[in-house]
Amino acid sequence: MMSAEETMKALRELAPHDDNMTQYLTSNVETSQPLPFEVDDGFAEYTKANSYDKRRSVVKHSVKEVTSDELKQQISAHREMIEKIKSDPELNSNYRFDAIYDEGKKRRICRVLAQRTMISQGREVEISVCGDDRNIQVPESISDHQTTYFPPRKRIQIMKNITFNKKDVIPVYSDIAGETVESISIPNSLLFDYTDVNYFNQTAEHNLARAVNMSEEDKNTIKCNCCSSDPDKKVIRCYENRNCPCFIMNEKLQKFQKPLNGNPPAKFTSFEPIHFTSTDRHFYQHMGFACSELCGCEGKCTNNVLMIPNKRLFPIEVFKSNEKLGFGVRSNVLIPAGTPVTEFVGEIVGEQIHMENLNWNNIEYAYQVSYGKDDVLKQIVDQTNFSKNYKGLIKDLYANISYYLDPTVCGNFARMASHSCAANMELVRVFQKSLSPAHIHLVMVAVTDIFPGTPITIDYGNNYATRLEDKCQCGTFACTNGPESREMKNASHAELTRYHQELSQLEMKQWYKNVQVHFL
């Protein structure tokens, strides 16, 4: 049997040239149900093109100039989404779509946003209990930092649908001034394979492959037999069932949260919003467990936080308005605070990085999903009834290796979420079926109300912001390279809370005005 080093050497020798997009010697292991797929035009031609240049040529044939009416599109998209909710047997009467009007809830959300802003600025040690923010004077310049993006009337449509799935249409636009159909720039970063599920190379990640195989044994799978005797019952109440194994695991994971000021922990349910209450370490502390298609409920229950992301409720577009910033993503409908919007998907890598022991070129796009010496997860694994060998293998994986999701070759639109010094999305881990790194879903949750047209953003981390100290153009009031950066770096927790509130209120008024005029 070849050693790990010999295996990697053989893979490198057999692998195609760097510009070849076909994945050799890779077995895709789906860690969730793939979405319904209805092939769109151009799918076969695009996937057969096995180099960036060939794919660029395919895409260029479909580039065209289009005319858009932003407000009309927002109104149409809002109507379609409401109808989609009403016609869905699981969402109708269970899912409440609306912005946050309650002032108490909004203040708590803005306090978390303020804390996240301070962490982005590298001021984590300064975070303290937020004082009274109601009488703080808000600078007039705050109104200049509304992040809603209004595209020009004439746009260049690069791709009609980057997913090539008629059931999940995501167009790609360029709004760069002066760019034409003939001069359009199509970077390699746009020419990836679109996927809805995670996967890994079984040869390079042989211990992870072992874990997945062992997880298929009944003793190592977490699933429930919850069902309903009522034939008209569309949603099973797993989250309310104290005997549901999936709910029990979900509740165990919630106990690792550290909410402040007597607030309850964030719930990971199918229909309730996920509202963070702790100051930081959201990713490390906030985890959930979801029912799956293996369960008696088939995942159609109240204990499946992945249900909303899999419904693809929110229409998404990929766009580019700034050459330096590259592509971003936005929706032309409201995304309510606490909504799990999508998964960040890609190739699960860990062992192969450690084996090669070299600078990993894909770090710009990848997101870390586990950490060496992850004590929280090891404690959870210890509490399970898994077989001894499986339990030992998972604990070794979490103790010795850090795993990443790398969307460089295969990924989804989440990889294009822009960096922001005041991000509106947070990433959390949700497990399904079992507890190995291959069973992690990295879910993007809206921290605050994201109003139509606003770019979807995440915080790439203080190290990234420091590297881009002279380049960041996120446009938020807290930008490390913004005109008020010096004042904002000295702003207190309470002041930042008040600034976030004011911006949210301004955007809420505009959204409500549009809704009131056209729907009420």
Side-chain angles (χ1 to χ4, degrees):
M1 182 175 181
M2 289 194 298
S3 67
E5 290 78 9
E6 290 170 331
T7 300
M8 289 307 299
K9 182 179 179 181
L11 282 171
R12 284 193 292 269
E13 290 174 350
L14 291 170
H17 297 296
D18 290 339
D19 64 347
N20 196 306
M21 301 292 290
T22 306
Q23 289 192 282
Y24 286 79
L25 303 176
T26 298
S27 175
N28 289 2
V29 180
E30 297 171 355
T31 57
S32 67
Q33 283 282 75
L35 291 177
F37 190 92
E38 184 179 340
V39 67
D40 207 342
D41 297 337
F43 175 74
E45 186 181 11
Y46 181 84
T47 53
K48 286 178 182 177
N50 61 355
S51 71
Y52 284 129
D53 286 340
K54 289 180 181 178
R55 287 197 168 183
R56 199 169 358 259
S57 178
V58 171
V59 171
K60 277 195 172 182
H61 286 266
S62 63
V63 174
K64 63 180 181 179
E65 186 176 271
V66 296
T67 302
S68 67
D69 185 324
E70 179 71 4
L71 183 56
K72 185 179 290 186
Q73 288 183 357
Q74 288 184 10
I75 294 165
S76 175
H78 184 90
R79 283 200 181 101
E80 289 177 10
M81 184 181 61
I82 296 301
E83 287 304 312
K84 192 172 182 179
I85 293 171
K86 287 181 179 178
S87 62
D88 190 291
E90 287 129 26
L91 297 181
N92 187 29
S93 76
N94 287 301
Y95 174 63
R96 184 170 180 254
F97 169 81
D98 210 347
I100 299 295
Y101 293 96
D102 182 272
E103 286 302 319
K105 286 184 180 179
K106 189 174 291 186
R107 180 172 284 110
R108 287 194 293 272
I109 288 170
C110 288
R111 285 177 178 174
V112 171
L113 284 169
Q115 292 159 355
R116 299 302 297 157
T117 298
M118 295 179 77
I119 292 168
S120 183
Q121 295 172 342
R123 300 168 57 199
E124 186 171 349
V125 295
E126 297 179 37
I127 295 175
S128 59
V129 177
C130 186
D132 191 350
D133 54 75
R134 283 169 287 194
N135 297 319
I136 291 174
Q137 188 69 30
V138 180
E140 292 184 8
S141 60
I142 283 292
S143 61
D144 298 333
H145 294 285
Q146 296 182 66
T147 53
T148 305
Y149 174 68
F150 294 94
R153 188 168 180 80
K154 289 188 182 268
R155 316 179 74 184
I156 296 177
Q157 185 186 83
I158 301 176
M159 298 179 76
K160 181 182 69 173
N161 183 12
I162 195 172
T163 72
F164 292 103
N165 181 2
K166 290 181 180 180
K167 295 183 179 294
D168 184 24
V169 177
I170 300 178
V172 182
Y173 298 100
S174 173
D175 300 327
I176 302 295
E179 201 162 45
T180 66
V181 171
E182 292 74 24
S183 67
I184 190 72
S185 173
I186 303 175
N188 292 347
S189 60
L190 190 65
L191 304 174
F192 60 95
D193 287 307
Y194 204 92
T195 182
D196 294 306
V197 295
N198 298 326
Y199 66 97
F200 63 89
N201 183 316
Q202 293 198 36
T203 304
E205 303 292 338
H206 58 281
N207 282 319
L208 196 60
R210 283 180 58 211
V212 169
N213 289 333
M214 292 174 69
S215 74
E216 294 174 358
E217 299 173 15
D218 280 344
K219 190 167 187 177
N220 300 328
T221 302
I222 302 175
K223 59 184 178 181
C224 70
N225 294 316
C226 304
C227 59
S228 174
S229 57
D230 183 356
D232 296 324
K233 194 76 171 178
K234 303 299 181 184
V235 176
I236 310 301
R237 315 308 292 185
C238 288
Y239 194 84
E240 294 76 14
N241 182 0
R242 307 296 302 181
N243 296 316
C244 172
C246 300
F247 165 74
I248 292 170
M249 179 55 67
N250 198 358
E251 192 173 48
K252 284 181 179 178
L253 291 170
Q254 287 180 20
K255 289 178 180 177
F256 285 92
Q257 296 180 37
K258 297 179 181 178
L260 296 178
N261 304 322
N263 291 310
K267 291 182 178 181
F268 285 76
T269 71
S270 302
F271 307 112
E272 294 184 48
I274 302 172
H275 290 313
F276 303 104
T277 57
S278 59
T279 55
D280 60 358
R281 298 173 69 79
H282 290 162
F283 173 82
Y284 192 75
Q285 293 175 354
H286 289 76
M287 295 177 286
F289 193 92
C291 287
S292 72
E293 74 279 2
L294 300 182
C295 297
C297 63
E298 299 179 341
K300 299 176 181 179
C301 68
T302 55
N303 190 64
N304 184 7
V305 74
L306 299 173
M307 183 184 291
I308 297 297
N310 287 337
K311 295 289 185 183
R312 293 303 191 264
L313 275 183
F314 308 102
I316 295 293
E317 76 168 34
V318 176
F319 72 102
K320 181 169 64 172
S321 60
N322 183 306
E323 194 66 59
K324 291 182 180 179
L325 293 180
F327 288 96
V329 293
R330 68 185 191 120
S331 178
N332 52 13
V333 298
L334 168 74
I335 300 176
T339 303
V341 177
T342 188
E343 287 188 52
F344 184 108
V345 301
E347 180 181 6
I348 309 169
V349 294
E351 292 173 82
Q352 55 192 300
I353 302 172
H354 292 261
M355 284 189 292
E356 290 192 326
N357 192 27
L358 46 77
N359 291 327
W360 184 34
N361 295 327
N362 298 348
I363 192 67
E364 290 290 345
Y365 279 110
Y367 205 97
Q368 193 167 354
V369 294
S370 76
Y371 296 80
K373 306 187 187 308
D374 198 330
D375 294 332
V376 169
L377 286 173
K378 284 190 289 184
Q379 287 181 50
I380 288 291
V381 172
D382 269 332
Q383 297 171 16
T384 66
N385 293 320
F386 294 156
S387 68
K388 183 179 178 181
N389 289 340
Y390 182 56
K391 190 181 292 189
L393 176 57
I394 296 181
K395 288 171 67 177
D396 284 344
L397 291 177
Y398 285 123
N400 301 318
I401 297 172
S402 295
Y403 283 92
Y404 295 79
L405 280 180
D406 175 13
T408 306
V409 175
C410 296
N412 66 347
F413 74 84
R415 61 175 268 167
M416 294 180 176
S418 302
H419 165 76
S420 174
C421 299
N424 52 33
M425 285 276 185
E426 187 69 82
L427 290 107
V428 296
R429 293 175 288 184
V430 175
F431 290 85
Q432 201 174 40
K433 303 175 186 174
S434 197
L435 296 177
S436 83
H439 296 95
I440 293 175
H441 298 264
L442 190 58
V443 181
M444 293 176 65
V445 179
V447 184
T448 184
D449 290 325
I450 303 176
F451 294 95
T454 303
I456 291 172
T457 59
I458 57 178
D459 185 351
Y460 288 6
N462 185 243
N463 289 337
Y464 176 87
T466 301
R467 268 198 347 261
L468 296 184
E469 194 165 351
D470 297 326
K471 300 179 186 177
C472 187
Q473 298 179 38
C474 68
T476 63
F477 71 91
C479 180
T480 55
N481 193 40
E484 293 94 8
S485 60
R486 180 173 296 179
E487 291 84 352
M488 292 305 162
K489 283 181 180 178
N490 293 317
S492 68
H493 184 185
E495 287 173 325
L496 290 171
T497 297
R498 186 69 189 91
Y499 302 161
H500 276 291
Q501 282 182 281
E502 181 65 20
L503 278 172
S504 180
Q505 288 169 359
L506 289 170
E507 292 172 333
M508 167 80 81
K509 287 177 183 177
Q510 184 60 51
W511 175 76
Y512 186 73
K513 179 182 177 182
N514 292 339
V515 171
Q516 188 178 40
V517 168
H518 297 283
F519 299 106
L520 300 183

